[in-house]
Short mmCIF file of all heavy atoms in Angstrom, two decimals:
data_model
loop_
_atom_site.label_atom_id
_atom_site.label_comp_id
_atom_site.label_asym_id
_atom_site.label_seq_id
_atom_site.Cartn_x
_atom_site.Cartn_y
_atom_site.Cartn_z
N SER E 219 -6.84 -16.78 3.34
CA SER E 219 -6.61 -16.67 1.90
C SER E 219 -5.48 -15.69 1.55
O SER E 219 -5.12 -15.58 0.36
CB SER E 219 -7.89 -16.24 1.18
OG SER E 219 -8.31 -14.98 1.65
N GLY E 220 -4.92 -14.98 2.54
CA GLY E 220 -3.82 -14.08 2.28
C GLY E 220 -4.18 -12.63 2.14
O GLY E 220 -3.39 -11.85 1.61
N LYS E 221 -5.31 -12.21 2.67
CA LYS E 221 -5.74 -10.82 2.54
C LYS E 221 -4.74 -9.86 3.17
O LYS E 221 -4.36 -8.86 2.59
CB LYS E 221 -7.12 -10.60 3.19
CG LYS E 221 -8.28 -11.29 2.53
CD LYS E 221 -9.57 -11.06 3.25
CE LYS E 221 -9.59 -11.61 4.65
NZ LYS E 221 -9.54 -13.03 4.80
N THR E 222 -4.32 -10.17 4.39
CA THR E 222 -3.38 -9.30 5.09
C THR E 222 -2.05 -9.25 4.35
O THR E 222 -1.47 -8.16 4.16
CB THR E 222 -3.17 -9.76 6.54
OG1 THR E 222 -4.43 -9.75 7.21
CG2 THR E 222 -2.19 -8.82 7.28
N ALA E 223 -1.57 -10.37 3.85
CA ALA E 223 -0.32 -10.43 3.07
C ALA E 223 -0.43 -9.55 1.84
O ALA E 223 0.51 -8.84 1.46
CB ALA E 223 0.05 -11.85 2.73
N VAL E 224 -1.58 -9.62 1.16
CA VAL E 224 -1.83 -8.82 -0.04
C VAL E 224 -1.81 -7.34 0.31
O VAL E 224 -1.16 -6.54 -0.37
CB VAL E 224 -3.17 -9.23 -0.72
CG1 VAL E 224 -3.62 -8.17 -1.70
CG2 VAL E 224 -3.04 -10.59 -1.38
N LEU E 225 -2.48 -6.96 1.37
CA LEU E 225 -2.50 -5.54 1.77
C LEU E 225 -1.10 -5.04 2.14
O LEU E 225 -0.69 -3.95 1.76
CB LEU E 225 -3.47 -5.34 2.94
CG LEU E 225 -4.93 -5.49 2.59
CD1 LEU E 225 -5.79 -5.44 3.86
CD2 LEU E 225 -5.37 -4.42 1.61
N VAL E 226 -0.34 -5.86 2.85
CA VAL E 226 1.04 -5.48 3.23
C VAL E 226 1.89 -5.33 1.98
O VAL E 226 2.62 -4.35 1.84
CB VAL E 226 1.64 -6.53 4.20
CG1 VAL E 226 3.12 -6.30 4.39
CG2 VAL E 226 0.95 -6.45 5.55
N GLN E 227 1.78 -6.26 1.06
CA GLN E 227 2.58 -6.19 -0.19
C GLN E 227 2.18 -4.94 -1.00
O GLN E 227 3.04 -4.27 -1.56
CB GLN E 227 2.42 -7.45 -1.03
CG GLN E 227 3.31 -7.49 -2.25
CD GLN E 227 4.78 -7.52 -1.90
OE1 GLN E 227 5.17 -8.07 -0.88
NE2 GLN E 227 5.61 -6.95 -2.78
N ARG E 228 0.90 -4.65 -1.02
CA ARG E 228 0.43 -3.46 -1.75
C ARG E 228 1.06 -2.19 -1.17
O ARG E 228 1.53 -1.32 -1.88
CB ARG E 228 -1.11 -3.42 -1.67
CG ARG E 228 -1.71 -2.27 -2.38
CD ARG E 228 -3.24 -2.41 -2.36
NE ARG E 228 -3.91 -1.20 -2.77
CZ ARG E 228 -4.07 -0.84 -4.03
NH1 ARG E 228 -3.65 -1.64 -5.03
NH2 ARG E 228 -4.69 0.29 -4.35
N VAL E 229 1.08 -2.09 0.16
CA VAL E 229 1.66 -0.93 0.81
C VAL E 229 3.15 -0.86 0.55
O VAL E 229 3.67 0.21 0.20
CB VAL E 229 1.38 -0.97 2.33
CG1 VAL E 229 2.20 0.08 3.08
CG2 VAL E 229 -0.09 -0.80 2.62
N ILE E 230 3.85 -1.96 0.69
CA ILE E 230 5.29 -1.97 0.42
C ILE E 230 5.58 -1.49 -0.98
O ILE E 230 6.46 -0.66 -1.18
CB ILE E 230 5.87 -3.41 0.64
CG1 ILE E 230 5.88 -3.77 2.13
CG2 ILE E 230 7.24 -3.52 0.04
CD1 ILE E 230 6.14 -5.23 2.39
N GLU E 231 4.86 -1.99 -1.96
CA GLU E 231 5.10 -1.58 -3.37
C GLU E 231 4.79 -0.12 -3.59
O GLU E 231 5.48 0.55 -4.36
CB GLU E 231 4.36 -2.50 -4.31
CG GLU E 231 4.94 -3.92 -4.29
CD GLU E 231 4.35 -4.86 -5.33
OE1 GLU E 231 3.73 -4.38 -6.29
OE2 GLU E 231 4.54 -6.06 -5.19
N LYS E 232 3.76 0.39 -2.94
CA LYS E 232 3.43 1.83 -3.09
C LYS E 232 4.50 2.70 -2.45
O LYS E 232 4.84 3.75 -3.00
CB LYS E 232 2.06 2.12 -2.48
CG LYS E 232 0.91 1.61 -3.30
CD LYS E 232 -0.38 2.21 -2.81
CE LYS E 232 -1.49 2.01 -3.80
NZ LYS E 232 -1.27 2.66 -5.05
N LEU E 233 5.02 2.30 -1.31
CA LEU E 233 5.99 3.12 -0.60
C LEU E 233 7.40 3.06 -1.22
O LEU E 233 8.20 3.97 -1.01
CB LEU E 233 6.10 2.69 0.87
CG LEU E 233 4.82 2.90 1.69
CD1 LEU E 233 5.03 2.34 3.10
CD2 LEU E 233 4.42 4.36 1.76
N THR E 234 7.68 1.99 -1.95
CA THR E 234 9.03 1.84 -2.48
C THR E 234 9.13 1.98 -4.01
O THR E 234 10.21 1.82 -4.57
CB THR E 234 9.60 0.44 -2.07
OG1 THR E 234 8.76 -0.58 -2.62
CG2 THR E 234 9.70 0.30 -0.58
N SER E 235 8.04 2.28 -4.65
CA SER E 235 8.03 2.38 -6.12
C SER E 235 8.84 3.58 -6.61
O SER E 235 8.80 4.66 -6.04
CB SER E 235 6.59 2.51 -6.62
OG SER E 235 6.59 2.63 -8.05
N ASP E 236 9.62 3.33 -7.69
CA ASP E 236 10.33 4.40 -8.40
C ASP E 236 9.45 5.08 -9.41
O ASP E 236 9.81 6.13 -9.94
CB ASP E 236 11.58 3.83 -9.07
CG ASP E 236 12.65 3.38 -8.08
OD1 ASP E 236 12.70 3.95 -6.96
OD2 ASP E 236 13.36 2.44 -8.42
N ASP E 237 8.32 4.50 -9.68
CA ASP E 237 7.37 5.02 -10.68
C ASP E 237 6.47 6.05 -9.99
O ASP E 237 5.69 5.72 -9.09
CB ASP E 237 6.50 3.89 -11.23
CG ASP E 237 5.54 4.32 -12.30
OD1 ASP E 237 5.32 5.53 -12.45
OD2 ASP E 237 4.99 3.44 -12.97
N PRO E 238 6.55 7.32 -10.40
CA PRO E 238 5.71 8.35 -9.78
C PRO E 238 4.21 8.08 -9.88
O PRO E 238 3.45 8.56 -9.07
CB PRO E 238 6.08 9.64 -10.52
CG PRO E 238 7.18 9.32 -11.48
CD PRO E 238 7.38 7.84 -11.47
N GLU E 239 3.79 7.32 -10.89
CA GLU E 239 2.38 6.97 -11.04
C GLU E 239 1.93 5.98 -9.97
O GLU E 239 0.74 5.92 -9.63
CB GLU E 239 2.14 6.37 -12.41
CG GLU E 239 2.40 7.30 -13.54
CD GLU E 239 1.34 8.37 -13.68
OE1 GLU E 239 0.16 8.06 -13.44
OE2 GLU E 239 1.67 9.51 -13.96
N LYS E 240 2.86 5.18 -9.43
CA LYS E 240 2.51 4.14 -8.45
C LYS E 240 2.92 4.52 -7.02
O LYS E 240 2.34 4.00 -6.07
CB LYS E 240 3.20 2.83 -8.81
CG LYS E 240 2.69 2.24 -10.12
CD LYS E 240 3.38 0.95 -10.44
CE LYS E 240 2.92 0.39 -11.77
NZ LYS E 240 3.63 -0.84 -12.14
N TYR E 241 3.86 5.45 -6.88
CA TYR E 241 4.38 5.81 -5.55
C TYR E 241 3.32 6.56 -4.74
O TYR E 241 2.51 7.32 -5.29
CB TYR E 241 5.61 6.72 -5.68
CG TYR E 241 6.12 7.20 -4.33
CD1 TYR E 241 6.90 6.37 -3.58
CD2 TYR E 241 5.79 8.46 -3.87
CE1 TYR E 241 7.36 6.79 -2.33
CE2 TYR E 241 6.21 8.88 -2.64
CZ TYR E 241 7.00 8.05 -1.87
OH TYR E 241 7.45 8.49 -0.64
N CYS E 242 3.33 6.34 -3.42
CA CYS E 242 2.43 7.05 -2.54
C CYS E 242 3.14 7.27 -1.20
O CYS E 242 3.82 6.39 -0.69
CB CYS E 242 1.20 6.18 -2.31
SG CYS E 242 -0.08 6.98 -1.32
N ASP E 243 3.00 8.47 -0.64
CA ASP E 243 3.55 8.75 0.69
C ASP E 243 2.72 7.98 1.73
O ASP E 243 1.50 7.83 1.61
CB ASP E 243 3.48 10.25 1.00
CG ASP E 243 4.49 11.03 0.24
OD1 ASP E 243 5.61 10.54 0.06
OD2 ASP E 243 4.13 12.13 -0.21
N ALA E 244 3.35 7.56 2.80
CA ALA E 244 2.69 6.79 3.86
C ALA E 244 1.54 7.57 4.49
O ALA E 244 0.52 6.97 4.87
CB ALA E 244 3.71 6.36 4.93
N ASP E 245 1.71 8.87 4.60
CA ASP E 245 0.63 9.67 5.25
C ASP E 245 -0.59 9.85 4.36
O ASP E 245 -1.57 10.49 4.76
CB ASP E 245 1.15 10.98 5.75
CG ASP E 245 1.71 11.90 4.67
OD1 ASP E 245 1.76 11.46 3.48
OD2 ASP E 245 2.03 13.03 4.99
N ARG E 246 -0.58 9.29 3.18
CA ARG E 246 -1.74 9.35 2.28
C ARG E 246 -2.53 8.02 2.27
O ARG E 246 -3.47 7.92 1.52
CB ARG E 246 -1.28 9.66 0.84
CG ARG E 246 -0.42 10.88 0.68
CD ARG E 246 -1.17 12.15 0.53
NE ARG E 246 -2.10 12.00 -0.61
CZ ARG E 246 -3.22 12.72 -0.75
NH1 ARG E 246 -3.52 13.61 0.15
NH2 ARG E 246 -3.99 12.55 -1.77
N LEU E 247 -2.10 7.04 3.08
CA LEU E 247 -2.73 5.73 3.09
C LEU E 247 -3.57 5.53 4.31
O LEU E 247 -3.21 5.94 5.42
CB LEU E 247 -1.66 4.62 3.04
CG LEU E 247 -0.75 4.62 1.81
CD1 LEU E 247 0.34 3.58 1.98
CD2 LEU E 247 -1.56 4.31 0.55
N LEU E 248 -4.72 4.89 4.14
CA LEU E 248 -5.55 4.44 5.25
C LEU E 248 -5.76 2.94 5.00
O LEU E 248 -6.36 2.54 4.00
CB LEU E 248 -6.91 5.14 5.30
CG LEU E 248 -7.93 4.59 6.29
CD1 LEU E 248 -7.42 4.74 7.71
CD2 LEU E 248 -9.27 5.25 6.11
N ILE E 249 -5.26 2.13 5.91
CA ILE E 249 -5.37 0.66 5.77
C ILE E 249 -6.14 0.15 6.96
O ILE E 249 -5.76 0.40 8.09
CB ILE E 249 -3.98 0.01 5.68
CG1 ILE E 249 -3.21 0.58 4.51
CG2 ILE E 249 -4.09 -1.48 5.57
CD1 ILE E 249 -1.95 1.24 4.90
N VAL E 250 -7.22 -0.59 6.70
CA VAL E 250 -8.05 -1.11 7.77
C VAL E 250 -8.24 -2.61 7.52
O VAL E 250 -8.56 -3.03 6.43
CB VAL E 250 -9.43 -0.42 7.78
CG1 VAL E 250 -10.31 -1.00 8.90
CG2 VAL E 250 -9.28 1.11 7.97
N SER E 251 -8.02 -3.38 8.57
CA SER E 251 -8.25 -4.82 8.52
C SER E 251 -8.98 -5.24 9.77
O SER E 251 -8.62 -4.80 10.86
CB SER E 251 -6.91 -5.55 8.40
OG SER E 251 -7.09 -6.93 8.38
N PHE E 252 -10.02 -6.03 9.66
CA PHE E 252 -10.74 -6.49 10.83
C PHE E 252 -11.43 -7.80 10.56
O PHE E 252 -11.60 -8.23 9.42
CB PHE E 252 -11.78 -5.41 11.26
CG PHE E 252 -12.83 -5.11 10.22
CD1 PHE E 252 -13.98 -5.84 10.11
CD2 PHE E 252 -12.61 -4.08 9.35
CE1 PHE E 252 -14.94 -5.54 9.15
CE2 PHE E 252 -13.56 -3.75 8.37
CZ PHE E 252 -14.71 -4.50 8.28
N THR E 253 -11.76 -8.49 11.65
CA THR E 253 -12.49 -9.74 11.56
C THR E 253 -13.94 -9.50 11.67
O THR E 253 -14.40 -8.43 12.16
CB THR E 253 -12.06 -10.70 12.71
OG1 THR E 253 -12.41 -10.11 13.93
CG2 THR E 253 -10.54 -10.96 12.66
#
């Protein structure tokens, strides 16, 4: 259904956002995906 693609897009947008409300440093993220 695209879960991994959604998570990847979410991370990309957080790391590249010019909006300080949406921006996040990579070391502040925990992303877990499993079957």
Side-chain angles (χ1 to χ4, degrees):
S219 62
K221 293 179 298 294
T222 301
V224 165
L225 290 172
V226 169
Q227 186 65 30
R228 181 174 169 81
V229 169
I230 289 169
E231 291 187 17
K232 286 191 166 296
L233 296 176
T234 61
S235 179
D236 292 330
D237 182 347
E239 296 287 323
K240 295 180 182 178
Y241 176 80
C242 184
D243 288 321
D245 62 354
R246 306 274 305 155
L247 298 173
L248 172 63
I249 301 120
V250 179
S251 178
F252 59 88
T253 64

